[in-house]
Amino acid sequence: MDFDLVVRNGIIVTASEILQPGLDIGIQAGKIICIGAGLPATANTEVLDAEGAYITPGGVDSHVHLAQANAPTGDGWETGTRSAVAGGTTTIIAFASQEKTDESLFPVLDEYDKTSKDQSYCDYSYHFILTNPTTKILTEELPVLFRERGISSVKLYMTYELMKVSDRQVLEILFTCKRLGMTTMIHAESHDMISFIIEGLERNRNTEPYFHAIARPRIAEDEASYRAISLAELADAPMLIVHMSSEIALGHVREAQGRLLPIHAETCPQYLFLLSENLKAVEHDHFHGAKHVCSPPLRHDPADLEGLWRNVANGTVTTFSSDHAPSKYYPEGGKRLGLVDGIPRFAKIPNGLPGLETRLPLLFNQTPACRPEGKARLSLPRFVQLASTNAAKLYGLDGRKGSIAPGYDADLIIWHAGNTGARTIHQKDLHHDIDYTPYEGMEVGNWPRYTVLRGTVVWDQGKGVVGKMEYGQWLKRGRGEVLVGRTGNLPRGMLPEERGYWM
């Protein structure tokens, strides 16, 4: 067999196991053809020596904001995907966002396609953000987008005046998505709680960046998460609650999962590594905290971080995404929108943090590959589930992305062997187009040595980004899988025949 590439002498990790050391991966035409010992190499075969390092699937980051009109100083496709491959991510799913005034999704899709065409270093797809879910969009347009373009997921907001949908609209979308086999994502925070608190903070002139964390308390996430789960239970539809930051809200998810409801949870690096103290002023820069404004906000207590880690380790959390939604700090139009006539106004600060490139090294640092066994927070297979496999399955990419097995795309991360990959995160070393990183100065025990996308090395830490921008391909996705629970459940207290009376 004539391979294009053979990766030798690595320790392959999948979502279920760590394979015996020294197996080779044979790659042909961008696909993994076989895994075995002593695979042959001809004069036409490139050989990549992993030197005993771990090899994990290329990362799948299923929550990325790029080239969105509401973030004019954020990353575009070129810079965002460049940073993705430099951090081991080979697939991203970004957001095409409908405005409240948009009566059709097709023009939105056409405009977003223009921003991404031939601009991506990695493979990519979109979710659709729905803000005006008309009957025509739900009954006529979503089926076409799913069938012809393979866009098999939508995102909804329960907060933000310009984006939120009502509970009634959430139900209508859930029923539609269940029928089509699409995944529904939801940003769960109580809009009324938050707007009420913001009015009081502004009335009392508490408008520094730190008060962003005060304005969006955990209870706002807890209540909205419970409500979102209840809506999904009534519709008997799968749901993913995005960027969860509260242990109590995750408790609602775990309780629902215990009743076999198909409720999935996502969390992000900022909720595992950062606290609200990062929102406070620092010497010589009273507005510095604006760099850490995101929603839900950073929480107050180290115990909040520990609560999140428990839910990552115990399986409640399904996916680990960056929610890369950055705005630059210094230029006008970015985070500085929160300075109004020189006065900080936290409610005007664009939400979001950069994190696409640092997502995987931060999480890998919590495995036995970087920590003593008793100090590791999660196993290597659990890392693979969170970083790649679960997102690929949930969003209709299983069989192609998210695993190291014959027939899958040859998307790989080859880490450094032993402790040779340790480094300190510094903004100057990153490849995004943002002027800061919230993880400045954090130490990680490893960093991708090579990132391989469809059999081609696109990141070589010794040389930098070596892939071509136009190499990234559009991914037509299929039906998402239900990873926890099942459909076919009856809401608590409801008679078996009740739905038949009103459906």
Side-chain angles (χ1 to χ4, degrees):
M1 186 175 290
D2 195 1
F3 298 109
D4 299 325
L5 174 67
V6 172
V7 180
R8 297 201 189 282
N9 194 29
I11 304 173
I12 299 168
V13 185
T14 72
S16 59
E17 61 184 336
I18 303 172
L19 302 185
Q20 67 187 62
L23 293 176
D24 301 338
I25 303 172
I27 297 165
Q28 190 179 73
K31 296 283 187 181
I32 298 171
I33 301 301
C34 64
I35 297 172
L39 296 183
T42 69
N44 298 320
T45 304
E46 179 185 357
V47 176
L48 197 58
D49 188 354
E51 299 181 357
Y54 288 108
I55 303 174
T56 59
V60 180
D61 193 340
S62 54
H63 193 146
V64 177
H65 298 267
L66 296 178
Q68 289 191 202
N70 61 356
T73 70
D75 264 321
W77 281 90
E78 176 184 357
T79 57
T81 59
R82 181 181 68 198
S83 69
V85 298
T89 291
T90 52
T91 297
I92 65 165
I93 310 180
F95 292 92
S97 184
Q98 179 196 28
E99 304 292 335
K100 286 279 190 183
T101 54
D102 292 330
E103 296 294 332
S104 172
L105 299 181
F106 295 125
V108 177
L109 181 62
D110 290 342
E111 284 301 310
Y112 203 55
D113 276 341
K114 292 176 184 177
T115 70
S116 63
K117 182 175 175 56
D118 297 328
Q119 297 290 307
S120 184
Y121 284 90
C122 65
D123 290 352
Y124 65 98
S125 185
Y126 310 147
H127 311 287
F128 241 112
I129 294 175
L130 296 183
T131 59
N132 182 24
T134 64
T135 300
K136 180 181 178 182
I137 285 173
L138 295 183
T139 60
E140 299 179 22
E141 296 193 358
L142 282 186
V144 173
L145 291 170
F146 184 22
R147 182 176 64 251
E148 297 184 2
R149 288 297 305 273
I151 297 176
S152 57
S153 48
V154 300
K155 181 183 178 184
L156 317 177
Y157 287 86
M158 299 175 80
T159 187
Y160 300 130
E161 195 62 52
L162 296 177
M163 305 189 80
K164 69 182 179 73
V165 292
S166 67
D167 288 0
R168 167 64 181 263
Q169 290 172 316
V170 172
L171 279 171
E172 291 171 345
I173 294 165
L174 282 167
F175 275 105
T176 298
C177 288
K178 177 191 173 185
R179 184 172 63 253
L180 293 174
M182 299 179 72
T183 300
T184 302
M185 311 158 70
I186 194 159
H187 176 142
E189 288 185 287
S190 170
H191 179 78
D192 288 337
M193 283 188 189
I194 292 166
S195 59
F196 181 84
I197 295 170
I198 288 175
E199 289 176 11
L201 288 169
E202 291 181 340
R203 185 171 58 249
N204 293 331
R205 299 183 180 179
N206 292 318
T207 59
E208 295 281 338
Y210 174 73
F211 289 101
H212 173 76
I214 306 299
R216 310 178 88 95
R218 278 192 0 175
I219 194 171
E221 181 181 348
D222 302 339
E223 183 276 333
S225 297
Y226 184 86
R227 181 157 41 100
I229 292 168
S230 298
L231 295 170
E233 183 174 5
L234 181 65
D236 186 30
M239 173 184 281
L240 172 82
I241 304 178
V242 298
H243 47 50
M244 299 193 75
S245 69
S246 165
E247 186 177 17
I248 294 174
L250 280 163
H252 297 327
V253 172
R254 191 161 181 81
E255 189 275 337
Q257 292 172 347
R259 295 189 288 116
L260 297 183
L261 298 183
I263 305 298
H264 308 89
E266 169 198 272
T267 196
C268 309
Q270 54 265 39
Y271 305 119
L272 298 173
F273 296 101
L274 303 175
L275 290 167
S276 63
E277 63 187 30
N278 294 103
L279 289 159
K280 294 180 178 178
V282 299
E283 189 177 2
H284 308 307
D285 188 358
H286 72 289
F287 195 60
H288 180 268
K291 294 179 179 180
H292 296 86
V293 167
C294 58
S295 294
L298 305 181
R299 300 305 180 190
H300 302 308
D301 196 304
D304 292 313
L305 304 186
E306 291 303 315
L308 267 288
W309 276 115
R310 282 192 292 273
N311 283 276
V312 168
N314 68 19
T316 303
V317 171
T318 313
T319 62
F320 178 74
S321 303
S322 67
D323 190 11
H324 183 80
S327 294
K328 290 187 177 73
Y329 179 62
Y330 286 104
E332 295 298 323
K335 295 289 188 180
R336 297 272 159 174
L337 288 172
L339 278 175
V340 182
D341 297 327
I343 299 173
R345 301 281 187 182
F346 71 83
K348 303 292 185 182
I349 299 171
N351 277 265
L353 306 181
L356 216 172
E357 187 168 348
T358 50
R359 174 183 75 110
L360 296 182
L362 285 167
L363 191 65
F364 194 73
N365 189 50
Q366 303 299 317
T367 71
C370 299
R371 294 176 177 269
E373 189 70 37
K375 300 290 185 180
R377 293 182 183 272
L378 65 159
S379 69
L380 282 160
R382 180 68 177 137
F383 165 82
V384 171
Q385 293 170 20
L386 292 162
S388 306
T389 307
N390 285 357
K393 290 182 176 181
L394 187 65
Y395 294 110
L397 291 171
D398 191 32
R400 182 172 181 183
K401 301 292 186 182
S403 191
I404 300 175
Y408 279 75
D409 283 0
D411 296 353
L412 309 171
I413 305 171
I414 302 172
W415 300 85
H416 288 263
N419 60 1
T420 60
R423 64 183 282 186
T424 302
I425 296 173
H426 291 301
Q427 160 65 18
K428 63 182 179 61
D429 299 324
L430 301 179
H431 296 78
H432 57 209
D433 190 33
I434 305 303
D435 52 6
Y436 74 97
T437 172
Y439 309 105
E440 183 71 37
M442 289 190 181
E443 296 182 358
V444 292
N446 213 321
W447 197 274
R449 183 183 176 195
Y450 300 107
T451 303
V452 180
L453 172 60
R454 286 181 279 109
T456 296
V457 176
V458 293
W459 163 256
D460 177 337
Q461 192 169 17
K463 299 176 182 179
V465 176
V466 294
K468 295 181 179 179
M469 184 172 64
E470 63 273 15
Y471 186 60
Q473 291 183 351
W474 165 262
L475 298 170
K476 183 177 181 180
R477 296 182 283 129
R479 294 172 64 99
E481 294 184 31
V482 172
L483 302 184
V484 295
R486 66 190 182 199
T487 56
N489 298 294
L490 192 67
R492 288 175 292 185
M494 187 176 284
L495 297 173
E497 66 272 17
E498 280 192 50
R499 277 202 188 100
Y501 292 126
W502 50 268
M503 283 185 64

